[in-house]
Amino acid sequence: AQSVTQLDSHVSVSEGTPVLLRCNYSSSYSPSLFWYVQHPNKGLQLLLKYTSAATLVKGINGFEAEFKKSETSFHLTKPSAHMSDAAEYFCVVSLFDTGRRALTFGSGTRLQVQP
Amino acid sequence: DAGITQSPRHKVTETGTPVTLRCHQTENHRYMYWYRQDPGHGLRLIHYSYGVKDTDKGEVSDGYSVSRSKTEDFLLTLESATSSQTSVYFCAISEGTGTVDGYTFGSGTRLTVV
């Protein structure tokens, strides 16, 4: 079973409308969770992180995510999309119960923002 | 990204030839990682290191080896490159295991095996 699932490979929104990128994980304990963004032909940049403090996490560029343990979800949201938000977004989780001391990446969601 | 450099940035090589990619950091971080990025797969862990001469395999380690003889350098070697190893390779570093602050990534190396 996949341990990190990004439910949509592509999401398209209009500029000024809300963004929702969905992520579910499976783990035997409460992991650390992250969202990274990758703009075309660029490296990866940390958007936000959850490390067992507040369940609603605010990140850069107006993004936020809510950790819901009961739903094993960590969805990324933004109230109003901007053209510069067009990029690929990765949900990332620490799954050290796999025996590896490394983070596990979801397969990514490509966000398109239409004018 | 500041503090982490990958070289080369681009490389084209022939099937069967050996290739070495280099990751260099100036942050003195203990942990270093190699990931490959392919469409539809996100980033997949190849190998990682938790100290000098301490390395471990990731989920896609077949065909790859690594070495870390000093803190600042983590080398990824493809002993005999195959077309399936055409990919973008990212190096990452973290002070601890990454559970608190995540990773810092390099800019990537685009490798094409022809």
Side-chain angles (χ1 to χ4, degrees):
Chain A
Q2 193 167 358
S3 47
V4 189
T5 303
Q6 292 186 241
L7 297 166
D8 306 291
S9 59
H10 289 86
V11 170
S12 182
V13 301
S14 298
E15 191 175 20
T17 64
V19 176
L20 170 64
L21 306 183
R22 300 181 293 166
C23 174
N24 286 101
Y25 69 93
S26 58
S27 177
S28 58
Y29 60 97
S30 290
S32 296
L33 293 152
F34 308 83
W35 278 96
Y36 277 81
V37 61
Q38 184 182 31
H39 288 93
N41 299 312
K42 300 288 187 184
L44 287 90
Q45 179 184 19
L46 181 64
L47 263 184
L48 51 78
K49 60 184 179 182
Y50 165 78
T51 55
S52 75
T55 56
L56 183 61
V57 181
K58 294 188 184 300
I60 61 173
N61 301 331
F63 284 93
E64 61 183 38
E66 186 171 9
F67 172 67
K68 292 186 177 180
K69 186 174 181 179
S70 60
E71 299 176 9
T72 61
S73 69
F74 190 56
H75 301 334
L76 182 70
T77 60
K78 183 173 181 178
S80 176
H82 191 273
M83 295 297 291
S84 61
D85 294 328
E88 187 148 25
Y89 293 80
F90 294 96
C91 181
V92 184
V93 60
S94 63
L95 291 172
F96 292 178
D97 49 358
T98 64
R100 296 196 188 96
R101 286 174 280 177
L103 302 180
T104 299
F105 284 71
S107 56
T109 298
R110 184 166 299 279
L111 176 65
Q112 289 183 309
V113 182
Q114 309 290 344
Chain B
D1 280 284
I4 178 170
T5 307
Q6 291 185 234
S7 59
R9 292 296 311 276
H10 301 272
K11 186 169 182 67
V12 179
T13 192
E14 293 186 350
T15 299
T17 60
V19 177
T20 296
L21 309 183
R22 180 179 184 239
C23 180
H24 179 77
Q25 61 147 329
T26 57
E27 304 297 320
N28 201 36
H29 284 347
R30 179 182 172 191
Y31 287 81
M32 299 185 76
Y33 313 83
W34 278 108
Y35 285 85
R36 61 177 287 175
Q37 182 178 25
D38 304 289
H41 292 278
L43 275 76
R44 293 179 291 175
L45 181 68
I46 305 172
H47 282 279
Y48 67 100
S49 170
Y50 46 95
V52 174
K53 292 186 169 46
D54 292 323
T55 64
D56 204 354
K57 295 179 180 180
E59 60 185 299
V60 291
S61 59
D62 287 348
Y64 301 94
S65 62
V66 291
S67 66
R68 191 166 178 203
S69 58
K70 44 187 179 177
T71 299
E72 57 266 36
D73 289 325
F74 192 33
L75 304 181
L76 176 71
T77 297
L78 290 66
E79 301 291 346
S80 177
T82 68
S83 58
S84 64
Q85 294 176 311
T86 293
S87 186
V88 180
Y89 292 85
F90 284 98
C91 177
I93 61 175
S94 62
E95 191 168 9
T97 57
T99 54
V100 174
D101 293 317
Y103 297 164
T104 299
F105 282 87
S107 300
T109 294
R110 184 173 295 275
L111 177 67
T112 302
V113 183
V114 298

